[in-house]
Amino acid sequence: MNKQRRNRIAEALELISQARGILEEVKDEEQESYENLPESLQYGERGEQMQENVDSLEEFIGYLEETDSLEEM
């Protein structure tokens, strides 16, 4: 792979890293909000949706972490 393509990959990886950081912050905020809900609301529709949001964000973050292998190119 030539230098130009490696540089483009490095740029993409930096953007992915930034996106991952943002998603981790949002996930942490959503988890904290969920944990601050009264137990009765945690088990309600709102709490369940918040927990699903956290789970989805964790899944997306995992996908982004898989791009770390591109650094080896």
Side-chain angles (χ1 to χ4, degrees):
M1 182 175 304
N2 68 23
K3 185 176 180 178
Q4 181 183 12
R5 286 190 210 104
R6 282 193 300 274
N7 287 340
R8 290 178 65 200
I9 289 173
E11 289 173 24
L13 290 172
E14 176 59 32
L15 293 171
I16 290 169
S17 177
Q18 291 174 18
R20 187 169 62 192
I22 292 168
L23 290 173
E24 287 174 348
E25 287 175 15
V26 171
K27 177 193 68 84
D28 291 343
E29 290 169 5
E30 187 75 355
Q31 183 68 43
E32 185 177 335
S33 292
Y34 171 80
E35 290 170 358
N36 288 328
L37 285 176
E39 275 191 46
S40 61
L41 292 178
Q42 286 181 357
Y43 297 108
E45 185 177 331
R46 180 178 177 194
E48 288 179 5
Q49 182 60 53
M50 291 174 81
Q51 193 58 50
E52 286 177 23
N53 293 341
V54 169
D55 293 343
S56 293
L57 287 166
E58 287 176 344
E59 183 178 354
F60 298 147
I61 291 166
Y63 293 143
L64 293 177
E65 289 173 348
E66 291 178 18
T67 62
D68 290 344
S69 64
L70 288 173
E71 292 177 1
E72 299 169 5
M73 293 184 120

